[in-house]
Amino acid sequence: MTSSRDVVFASVRRALGVSSTEAPRRQEVSDRLAGHPRGLVPARAQIPAAARITLFKDMVAAAAASIDHLPAAASVPSAVAAYLRGRNLPMTILRGADPRLAALPWEQEPNLDVWIGASDGRQLAGLSHAFAGVAESGTLVMLSGPDNPSTLNLLPDHHLVVVDAGDVAADYETVWGRIRDAYGAGLMPRTVNWITGPSRSADIEQTLLLGAHGPRSLHVLLVGGTQAGETQAGERPAG
C-alpha cells in the first residue's frame, strides 16, 4: 500500500528527473553523512578563551537572559535560592537526574525544596545542566534524557541553566563535533535543543511577547573560568 510519504517523495523525484538508485547521488549523500563537513563559522568568536567567556556573557545578556558568573559549582544552590527570592517565587526548584546537579551541596539551602524529574507544567522554576554554551550567540545546548528532561526547557516559567565555563565553545560546529564524540558514530540524543534567551514571539502585530512558547525568563549560571565572581552590566550578583 502506497503511503502519503511515498507519494510526496515520488513527486519530488519526478520534478527533479531522478530516481533513488543513482550511484553518484547515493555516494554523495553517504560521503556527506560520514564526513560531517563544517558550515560557515563566524570569526566573531575565534578569540582567546578569556575573551570568549566575556563574549558569551555579553551575548546572553543581549538575548534578554540574565546571568550569574559563579566561582565554583558549590555556589549554584545559593545562586538558585537568591534568584527565587529576588523574584518572589516559591522556594521550590525542579531538576533532572544529572549527577552534576545531584552532587551540589543543596543542604546549604535548607529552605530550598528540590524535586527531581520531568516537568508536567505545574512548576514555576526548573533547573538544567547544559551540555555546552556557544559564545558567538550566547546559546545553551541541551541534550534530552532523564538527566535533563526537555520538558524543563519548555514548561516552567523560569528556566535556570548551569553551564561550565570550560564547556563554552566558540561556535556551533565545534559543539556538534563534541556531541558526536560523546555519543559515537551514528548515534545522537533524541533531541538537541539550542536555546538563545527566553521564549519569545512577535507574530501578532509585531509586538514582542516573552514566554510565548516556553519560559519567559532564562537565567544562566556560568561556573568557573576567567573572571568568575565578577559582576558586569546585565548580570545579577549571586547571594
Side-chain angles (χ1 to χ4, degrees):
M1 182 176 181
T2 302
S3 68
S4 299
R5 179 178 183 272
D6 294 334
V7 171
V8 170
F9 281 144
S11 298
V12 172
R13 292 188 187 105
R14 282 197 302 272
L16 295 175
V18 299
S19 71
S20 62
T21 60
E22 296 93 344
R25 295 180 70 244
R26 297 182 69 87
Q27 187 63 51
E28 182 180 357
V29 172
S30 296
D31 290 346
R32 183 172 182 84
L33 290 175
H36 310 303
R38 290 169 64 87
L40 183 65
V41 176
R44 176 170 57 194
Q46 308 306 308
I47 50 182
R52 188 164 65 241
I53 294 298
T54 299
L55 176 62
F56 175 74
K57 293 160 66 175
D58 289 344
M59 297 305 293
V60 166
S66 54
I67 184 168
D68 284 336
H69 195 171
L70 308 175
S75 301
V76 168
S78 62
V80 170
Y83 178 90
L84 297 176
R85 284 194 299 267
R87 288 161 176 77
N88 200 29
L89 293 169
M91 294 298 287
T92 301
I93 193 80
L94 177 67
R95 66 169 179 84
D98 194 304
R100 294 168 295 185
L101 298 179
L104 297 175
W106 296 107
E107 68 279 2
Q108 294 179 2
E109 292 294 333
N111 294 324
L112 181 60
D113 196 8
V114 181
W115 293 76
I116 303 170
S119 174
D120 61 6
R122 293 184 292 179
Q123 299 78 22
L124 287 177
L127 176 68
S128 303
H129 201 298
F131 176 80
V134 183
E136 69 176 74
S137 56
T139 298
L140 299 165
V141 183
M142 315 297 297
L143 307 186
S144 63
D147 283 357
N148 292 284
S150 293
T151 53
L152 294 178
N153 303 339
L154 302 170
L155 298 182
D157 264 359
H158 298 261
H159 191 199
L160 288 74
V161 182
V162 179
V163 60
D164 293 328
D167 292 332
V168 175
D171 51 75
Y172 290 74
E173 297 293 343
T174 297
V175 176
W176 279 121
R178 291 181 185 176
I179 296 173
R180 295 188 190 100
D181 290 343
Y183 279 78
L187 298 175
M188 277 281 166
R190 180 179 60 84
T191 303
V192 181
N193 292 129
W194 303 70
I195 300 174
T196 308
S199 171
R200 71 193 75 194
S201 175
D203 290 344
I204 301 175
E205 297 183 349
Q206 297 298 297
T207 300
L208 183 64
L209 175 67
L210 294 181
H213 309 294
R216 69 186 64 204
S217 178
L218 175 66
H219 186 60
V220 179
L221 300 170
L222 178 64
V223 174
T226 305
Q227 299 173 337
E230 295 183 4
T231 301
Q232 65 178 42
E235 284 188 273
R236 288 174 53 85

